[in-house]
Amino acid sequence: MKKTNQRTQDSCSLVYRCRLPLSTRTVNHLADLLRRHLNEIRSRWRILPPGKIAVIVLAVLRHDQRLADMAGGNNVSESTVRRWRDELIGLLAVQAPRLDRALKKIARQGGEVVLIDGTLIPTQRRTGKADRRNYSGKHRTHGLHFLALTDERGRLVWISAARPGRTHDNTAARHDHLLAHLRAAGLGALADLGFRGLDNDVRDPVIVTGFHASRTHKLTAGQRNANRVLAIGRAPVEHGFAHLKNWRILAKLRTDPARATRLLRALLVLTNLEVNR
């Protein structure tokens, strides 16, 4: 017992420095956003300056640092870091573009098609029946499903709301009225076979998904070549997802699923700041 007590008394908080691989443009944008918000709500004091708060929140988002660890290294409470994180996520999420405006912007810039795909964000498994809908049979794990649109270069332009992991791509697209928005903007879309059946217009299709092979129906050489060309055209959408998932907080969400939509849209804004610099 004496040895254990002695070790406890001799222990102290150790702090180490870690590189944050982000541009100063991103940090300044977040700090300026916080300064304007503080002026609007007439808050004259924070325990740390806006620039330092921005770095702390970006470290939480980029490296998935635990709130308690960040709080201990900056001599603040864990609840304070959590409040800063939620506050800045809310401010960033408001800047995320709406679907109709994002598509119209691409059309004004001379774009003709967008790339669409869906993906799953792993989450912690929760107890109770309410979490069963978050289980994805395709990925065999619990998570949240969302859609994303990119331009032809793979730059993210829009992210849908986060939905239960069992949600199908077509179900999410119909819920967001994606087909109607594409027609209104005069744009087409390239998608994978998961979106088959979303656009049933044979004469003037808006969403191109390629050809599907089955046991009784083999693809011809021309159909295989068409699928290969479509896969090459869709490749940049994977680059967009890769940039988004560089934010390691998405490796396995531990936050409330109800807040996941705001988090995704905030990360969309930050990703575009980093990629388009």
Side-chain angles (χ1 to χ4, degrees):
M1 291 299 294
K2 290 183 179 180
K3 292 183 180 180
T4 304
N5 291 336
Q6 185 177 0
R7 290 177 182 177
T8 304
Q9 294 174 359
D10 292 341
S11 63
C12 62
S13 298
L14 302 178
V15 180
Y16 67 93
R17 301 177 65 180
C18 180
R19 176 178 175 269
L20 188 60
L22 296 174
S23 64
T24 55
R25 176 188 176 186
T26 301
V27 178
N28 293 336
H29 177 83
L30 202 56
D32 293 340
L33 194 63
L34 180 58
R35 290 189 187 98
R36 290 195 298 267
H37 174 67
L38 295 179
N39 290 333
E40 291 176 359
I41 65 176
R42 297 182 179 181
S43 177
R44 296 176 294 178
W45 183 83
R46 283 287 195 272
I47 193 172
L48 292 177
K52 184 66 174 179
I53 294 175
V55 171
I56 292 173
V57 173
L58 288 173
V60 172
L61 299 178
R62 189 69 170 188
H63 290 312
D64 195 20
Q65 294 284 358
R66 301 302 190 268
L67 299 181
D69 296 338
M70 295 303 299
N74 293 277
N75 296 322
V76 295
S77 65
E78 181 179 352
S79 60
T80 299
V81 178
R82 181 180 293 105
R83 184 171 65 252
W84 290 342
R85 180 201 63 185
D86 295 341
E87 184 178 38
L88 288 177
I89 285 176
L91 294 175
L92 287 169
V94 175
Q95 296 184 331
R98 287 176 15 184
L99 176 58
D100 54 347
R101 295 176 181 176
L103 294 178
K104 290 178 181 178
K105 181 179 179 180
I106 292 178
R108 287 195 305 267
Q109 294 174 349
E112 297 180 355
V113 297
V114 294
L115 312 179
I116 179 175
D117 202 357
T119 189
L120 189 80
I121 304 173
T123 60
Q124 284 186 331
R125 181 178 179 179
R126 300 172 184 267
T127 58
K129 296 181 180 179
D131 191 51
R132 292 182 181 178
R133 61 179 185 168
N134 290 335
Y135 182 78
S136 171
K138 176 181 178 181
H139 299 275
R140 297 183 180 180
T141 186
H142 288 75
L144 296 174
H145 173 276
F146 72 94
L147 299 177
L149 289 180
T150 71
D151 59 11
E152 298 177 16
R153 296 182 179 181
R155 293 176 296 188
L156 289 166
V157 297
W158 174 77
I159 285 181
S160 72
R163 297 186 173 90
R166 69 181 183 183
T167 305
H168 194 274
D169 290 339
N170 280 353
T171 303
R174 291 190 181 100
H175 190 276
D176 292 319
H177 306 287
L178 183 59
L179 186 59
H181 285 297
L182 288 171
R183 291 188 184 279
L187 295 174
L190 304 182
D192 59 15
L193 294 177
F195 292 88
R196 283 190 317 119
L198 180 60
D199 186 3
N200 294 321
D201 191 343
V202 180
R203 296 183 178 179
D204 187 21
V206 174
I207 299 179
V208 180
T209 58
F211 299 95
H212 176 67
S214 64
R215 293 181 179 179
T216 58
H217 176 71
K218 303 297 181 181
L219 297 183
T220 64
Q223 291 174 335
R224 290 195 298 270
N225 289 333
N227 284 352
R228 190 176 299 109
V229 172
L230 180 62
I232 295 174
R234 287 191 59 259
V237 73
E238 301 298 337
H239 302 162
F241 278 125
H243 289 305
L244 183 66
K245 292 183 178 180
N246 279 336
W247 301 92
R248 298 176 189 172
I249 194 173
L250 296 181
K252 192 166 189 178
L253 278 181
R254 292 180 298 275
T255 185
D256 187 355
R259 300 180 179 179
T261 298
R262 288 197 304 171
L263 173 61
L264 287 170
R265 290 174 178 170
L267 295 181
L268 167 64
V269 176
L270 293 174
T271 300
N272 287 335
L273 285 173
E274 283 295 303
V275 175
N276 301 331
R277 59 183 177 180

